[in-house]
């Protein structure tokens, strides 16, 4: 969970206490007492607590509660920011759609709790595999979407295969029969809108799924 809210709130609280000191004890010339530090500590504690609540709400609003990856709304918002950066750098942005094969069988045979465990492990494998400027989100059910910064068209197929292998290896011990079907599209080569690129990647993914 990020600390932005806590840092900002504490900084404002600290600034308030500095201004309070100069106003009462420098400008007005009132005597300085040790209780000033007690009040400062109280103000800063309240500011830290308020900032923590803000960080918690913001984190939960952006994340999938089960896997901890980003949610659908956040990935769409991030896409628009990422395309602007890609345009400036004249680079491609990859949109990867991923769907687990035989996920229904896992739920039917072992129960939904085991299915949730699989989704968490897949999410961990994805976040471990991708780069620091990439984004992993749960699209819904057993589907994930990954935005890949500066994804090269001539190496995209190799990247996808490595990603599939990373998921299989991660789950080999507990879920040996689970694999992932993956499809991708590239901005701006295959489209400029997020919906168009998702459709292209989705079609590619289901083609891969039929082959398995």
């Amino acid at each position: 969970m990020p600390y932005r809210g806590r840092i900002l709130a504490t900084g404002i609280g600290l600034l308030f206490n500095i201004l309070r000191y100069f106003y009462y004890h420098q400008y007005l010339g009132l005597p300085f007492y040790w209780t000033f530090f007690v009040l400062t500590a109280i103000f800063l504690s309240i500011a830290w607590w308020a900032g923590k609540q803000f960080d918690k709400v913001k984190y939960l609003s952006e994340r999938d509660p089960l896997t901890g990856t980003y949610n659908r709304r956040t990935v769409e918002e991030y896409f628009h920011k990422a395309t602007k950066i890609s345009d400036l750098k004249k680079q491609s942005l990859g949109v990867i759609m991923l769907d687990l094969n035989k996920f229904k069988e896992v739920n039917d045979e072992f129960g939904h709790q085991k299915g949730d465990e699989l989704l968490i492990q897949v999410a961990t494998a994805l976040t471990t595999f991708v780069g620091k400027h990439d984004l992993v989100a749960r699209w819904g059910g057993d589907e994930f979407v990954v935005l890949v910064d500066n994804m090269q068209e001539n190496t995209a197929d190799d990247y996808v295969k490595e990603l599939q292998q990373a998921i299989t290896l991660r789950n080999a011990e507990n879920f040996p029969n689970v694999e992932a079907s993956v499809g991708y599209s590239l901005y701006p080569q295959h489209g400029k809108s997020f919906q168009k690129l998702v459709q292209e990647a989705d079609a590619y993914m289901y083609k891969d799924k039929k082959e398995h």
Side-chain angles (χ1 to χ4, degrees):
M1 186 167 61
Y3 284 81
R4 185 177 302 174
R6 277 163 282 187
I7 293 172
L8 181 61
T10 304
I12 293 173
L14 186 61
L15 178 61
F16 168 76
N17 281 280
I18 292 173
L19 293 175
R20 185 167 67 94
Y21 168 79
F22 279 101
Y23 178 74
Y24 285 109
H25 306 297
Q26 297 295 323
Y27 181 71
L28 297 181
L30 296 177
F32 183 81
Y33 297 106
W34 66 270
T35 52
F36 176 87
F37 296 108
V38 175
L39 287 173
T40 298
I42 293 173
F43 287 140
L44 292 180
S45 297
I46 293 173
W48 180 266
W49 179 86
K52 184 178 181 179
Q53 303 314 304
F54 173 83
D55 287 334
K56 184 177 181 180
V57 170
K58 189 174 187 301
Y59 179 86
L60 293 175
S61 71
E62 294 178 342
R63 301 278 177 163
D64 170 60
L66 176 64
T67 63
T69 59
Y70 288 99
N71 59 30
R72 191 165 182 161
R73 179 182 60 83
T74 304
V75 73
E76 291 187 42
E77 293 176 354
Y78 183 83
F79 171 81
H80 297 294
K81 298 177 183 178
T83 53
K84 292 179 181 178
I85 297 174
S86 295
D87 289 340
L88 288 173
K89 294 182 177 181
K90 296 181 179 180
Q91 295 176 345
S92 298
L93 176 68
V95 177
I96 293 178
M97 294 293 296
L98 180 147
D99 179 86
L100 296 181
N101 301 330
K102 302 180 181 179
F103 180 71
K104 185 177 182 301
E105 284 84 342
V106 172
N107 277 332
D108 292 342
E109 185 175 351
F110 302 105
H112 290 280
Q113 184 175 353
K114 202 68 175 178
D116 288 347
E117 183 183 326
L118 172 59
L119 292 174
I120 293 170
Q121 289 190 22
V122 169
T124 302
L126 288 172
T127 52
T128 302
F129 178 82
V130 302
K132 63 178 181 178
H133 298 299
D134 302 336
L135 182 142
V136 177
R138 187 181 177 194
W139 191 246
D142 60 327
E143 286 188 339
F144 291 84
V145 60
V146 184
L147 298 186
V148 183
D149 178 58
N150 193 25
M151 190 171 179
Q152 303 294 322
E153 190 166 10
N154 60 338
T155 59
D157 288 331
D158 292 335
Y159 183 92
V160 166
K161 289 177 182 178
E162 290 175 8
L163 185 147
Q164 288 175 305
Q165 186 178 21
I167 293 172
T168 301
L169 290 175
R170 181 84 187 188
N171 299 289
E173 184 176 347
N174 296 323
F175 305 97
N177 297 322
V178 173
E179 296 180 346
S181 295
V182 181
Y184 71 88
S185 59
L186 295 172
Y187 170 92
Q189 293 94 318
H190 302 143
K192 292 192 174 182
S193 72
F194 185 63
Q195 291 73 19
K196 173 64 174 175
L197 291 165
V198 167
Q199 288 175 0
E200 292 289 330
D202 202 49
Y204 194 149
M205 178 186 70
Y206 276 100
K207 180 182 177 183
D208 182 48
K209 199 175 189 70
K210 287 181 179 179
E211 293 175 355
H212 289 82

